Amino acid sequence: LMAVYDGCKLLADIDVHDCSKLAIVDLSVFQNVVDDGLLRFVARHCPQLTDLNLSNCHQITDVSMMDVAAYCTKLSSINMSE
Protein backbone atom coordinates (compact mmCIF):
# COMPACT_ATOMS: atom_id res chain seq x y z
CA LEU A 1 0.00 0.00 0.00
CA MET A 2 2.89 2.37 0.66
CA ALA A 3 4.12 2.05 -2.93
CA VAL A 4 0.63 2.82 -4.16
CA TYR A 5 0.34 5.74 -1.74
CA ASP A 6 3.76 7.13 -2.70
CA GLY A 7 3.27 6.73 -6.44
CA CYS A 8 -0.37 7.75 -6.75
CA LYS A 9 -0.86 11.07 -5.03
CA LEU A 10 -4.26 11.55 -6.70
CA LEU A 11 -5.60 8.18 -5.59
CA ALA A 12 -9.02 8.72 -4.07
CA ASP A 13 -10.20 5.19 -3.34
CA ILE A 14 -8.73 1.73 -2.86
CA ASP A 15 -10.61 -1.48 -2.09
CA VAL A 16 -8.80 -3.74 0.39
CA HIS A 17 -11.69 -5.99 1.38
CA ASP A 18 -9.78 -9.12 0.37
CA CYS A 19 -6.47 -8.77 2.17
CA SER A 20 -6.55 -12.30 3.56
CA LYS A 21 -3.00 -13.06 2.35
CA LEU A 22 -1.45 -9.78 3.46
CA ALA A 23 1.47 -10.42 5.84
CA ILE A 24 3.02 -6.99 6.46
CA VAL A 25 1.06 -3.83 7.23
CA ASP A 26 2.62 -0.44 7.98
CA LEU A 27 -0.01 2.02 9.17
CA SER A 28 2.47 4.51 10.63
CA VAL A 29 2.27 6.82 7.61
CA PHE A 30 -1.47 7.12 8.18
CA GLN A 31 -1.02 7.89 11.89
CA ASN A 32 -3.55 10.73 11.87
CA VAL A 33 -6.40 8.55 10.58
CA VAL A 34 -5.66 5.17 12.16
CA ASP A 35 -8.24 4.50 14.85
CA ASP A 36 -9.89 1.50 16.48
CA GLY A 37 -12.27 0.99 13.56
CA LEU A 38 -9.50 0.74 10.98
CA LEU A 39 -7.29 -1.45 13.14
CA ARG A 40 -10.18 -3.78 13.97
CA PHE A 41 -10.89 -4.11 10.23
CA VAL A 42 -7.26 -4.98 9.53
CA ALA A 43 -7.17 -7.49 12.38
CA ARG A 44 -10.35 -9.26 11.28
CA HIS A 45 -9.51 -9.34 7.56
CA CYS A 46 -5.77 -10.06 7.59
CA PRO A 47 -5.34 -13.42 9.37
CA GLN A 48 -1.91 -14.01 7.78
CA LEU A 49 -0.47 -10.83 9.31
CA THR A 50 3.05 -11.34 10.67
CA ASP A 51 4.33 -7.74 10.97
CA LEU A 52 2.34 -4.68 12.03
CA ASN A 53 3.69 -1.14 12.34
CA LEU A 54 1.54 1.20 14.42
CA SER A 55 4.24 3.68 15.41
CA ASN A 56 2.81 7.10 16.30
CA CYS A 57 -0.78 5.84 15.94
CA HIS A 58 -2.15 7.48 19.08
CA GLN A 59 -5.86 6.99 18.40
CA ILE A 60 -5.90 3.22 18.96
CA THR A 61 -7.00 1.69 22.26
CA ASP A 62 -7.11 -1.67 24.00
CA VAL A 63 -10.36 -2.43 22.15
CA SER A 64 -8.65 -2.78 18.77
CA MET A 65 -5.54 -4.37 20.25
CA MET A 66 -7.74 -7.16 21.64
CA ASP A 67 -8.88 -7.88 18.07
CA VAL A 68 -5.26 -7.92 16.89
CA ALA A 69 -4.45 -10.47 19.60
CA ALA A 70 -7.51 -12.59 18.82
CA TYR A 71 -7.42 -12.61 15.01
CA CYS A 72 -3.75 -12.14 14.07
CA THR A 73 -2.41 -15.34 15.55
CA LYS A 74 0.64 -15.38 13.24
CA LEU A 75 1.78 -11.93 14.32
CA SER A 76 5.45 -12.02 15.29
CA SER A 77 6.34 -8.33 15.25
CA ILE A 78 4.42 -5.21 16.26
CA ASN A 79 5.88 -1.71 16.42
CA MET A 80 4.05 0.72 18.69
CA SER A 81 6.87 3.21 19.24
CA GLU A 82 6.55 6.97 19.43
Side-chain angles (χ1 to χ4, degrees):
L1 287 176
M2 281 310 305
V4 172
Y5 175 76
D6 288 340
C8 303
K9 297 296 183 187
L10 299 178
L11 184 67
D13 186 39
I14 188 167
D15 184 359
V16 292
H17 281 89
D18 185 18
C19 56
S20 60
K21 295 181 181 176
L22 200 58
I24 300 170
V25 172
D26 182 351
L27 296 174
S28 64
V29 297
F30 304 110
Q31 61 192 3
N32 294 327
V33 296
V34 175
D35 60 7
D36 283 335
L38 177 60
L39 186 54
R40 291 181 84 187
F41 175 87
V42 169
R44 291 172 184 232
H45 291 87
C46 302
Q48 302 300 317
L49 201 61
T50 59
D51 297 279
L52 179 61
N53 187 346
L54 298 170
S55 59
N56 293 309
C57 296
H58 301 290
Q59 298 180 59
I60 57 172
T61 68
D62 292 348
V63 171
S64 57
M65 293 308 296
M66 293 296 287
D67 275 3
V68 170
Y71 294 100
C72 301
T73 58
K74 296 183 179 186
L75 193 65
S76 61
S77 173
I78 186 167
N79 181 348
M80 298 180 69
S81 63
E82 292 287 325

